[in-house]
């Protein structure tokens, strides 16, 4: 597959420089980082939430997890994880569990954790389990210029962080 159609269209229309890099098949963000030889803190991981106002994509480095209570308080919302069925409907051009870390191509409001700011390079899923998108951290933040941001993540536990409380298949 290489890259989702919507993501490719969005990136091309935005004019940012990026590359799509193949990697051995992976099923979670920690495995993707390891197999791609990318530091966990440079791999942007999306987590999709919902509430009475709609969907919200929260972006954190793969080395961290969303503190749902903190994010909910900061936004004055009651956020809950979106279901797998909702993910399949929203990200129909992506393989299950491989949504890209950009909500704009899917018209999903996005917030990002401040720990993603200041990175020289950012990587994220391209829409399948065998490719990632690589771009400069500056280009990534330019794409998120309309997004809210703040501090709402926690470090993962264990040698690779263990399993996160959130899922969305990380």
């Amino acid at each position: 597959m290489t890259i989702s159609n919507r993501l490719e269209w969005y990136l091309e229309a935005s004019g940012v420089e990026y590359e799509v890099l193949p990697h051995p098949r992976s099923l979670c963000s920690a495995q993707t980082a390891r197999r791609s030889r990318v530091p966990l803190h440079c791999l942007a991981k999306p987590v999709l939430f919902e509430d009475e106002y709609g969907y919200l994509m929260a972006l954190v480095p793969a080395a961290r997890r969303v503190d749902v209570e903190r994010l909910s308080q900061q936004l004055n919302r009651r956020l809950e994880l979106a279901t797998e069925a909702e993910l399949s409907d929203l990200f129909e051009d992506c393989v299950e569990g491989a949504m890209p870390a950009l909500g704009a191509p899917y018209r999903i409001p996005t917030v990002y954790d401040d720990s993603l700011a200041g990175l020289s390079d950012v990587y994220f899923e391209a829409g399948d389990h065998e490719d990632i998108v690589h771009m400069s951290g500056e280009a990534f933040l330019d794409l998120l210029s309309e997004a809210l941001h703040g501090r709402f993540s926690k470090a993962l536990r264990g040698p690779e962080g263990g399993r996160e409380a959130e899922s969305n298949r990380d």
Side-chain angles (χ1 to χ4, degrees), residues 5-147:
N5 293 330
R6 280 195 193 189
L7 178 61
E8 183 176 33
W9 173 85
Y10 180 77
L11 293 175
E12 292 298 323
S14 299
V16 299
E17 288 188 31
Y18 70 94
E19 62 182 333
V20 178
L21 305 172
H23 63 79
R25 184 168 175 74
S26 61
L27 297 176
C28 70
S29 56
Q31 194 177 61
T32 297
R34 192 171 51 250
R35 291 184 176 179
S36 302
R37 302 191 190 293
V38 170
L40 272 175
H41 72 276
C42 293
L43 183 71
K45 174 179 72 172
V47 182
L48 193 68
F49 295 98
E50 66 174 322
D51 67 2
E52 62 196 32
Y53 301 109
Y55 295 103
L56 178 75
M57 180 182 284
L59 305 178
V60 296
R64 304 184 68 79
R65 67 181 181 90
V66 176
D67 182 336
V68 183
E69 285 182 38
R70 188 173 192 180
L71 180 59
S72 293
Q73 286 176 346
Q74 289 176 3
L75 298 175
N76 197 27
R77 294 176 69 170
R78 293 181 186 201
L79 298 169
E80 295 181 5
L81 279 174
T83 66
E84 293 293 328
E86 290 169 311
L87 293 175
S88 293
D89 289 344
L90 292 168
F91 297 91
E92 61 194 7
D93 66 340
C94 297
V95 173
E96 188 175 308
M99 67 180 158
L102 290 172
Y106 300 90
R107 295 190 172 121
I108 298 172
T110 304
V111 297
Y112 68 91
D113 191 78
D114 286 341
S115 57
L116 287 168
L119 297 174
S120 58
D121 294 284
V122 173
Y123 302 81
F124 56 88
E125 292 284 358
D128 65 11
H129 293 292
E130 298 170 350
D131 298 282
I132 56 172
V133 174
H134 168 239
M135 65 179 58
S136 73
E138 183 179 346
F140 185 67
L141 290 182
D142 284 347
L143 293 173
L144 296 173
S145 64
E146 303 289 317

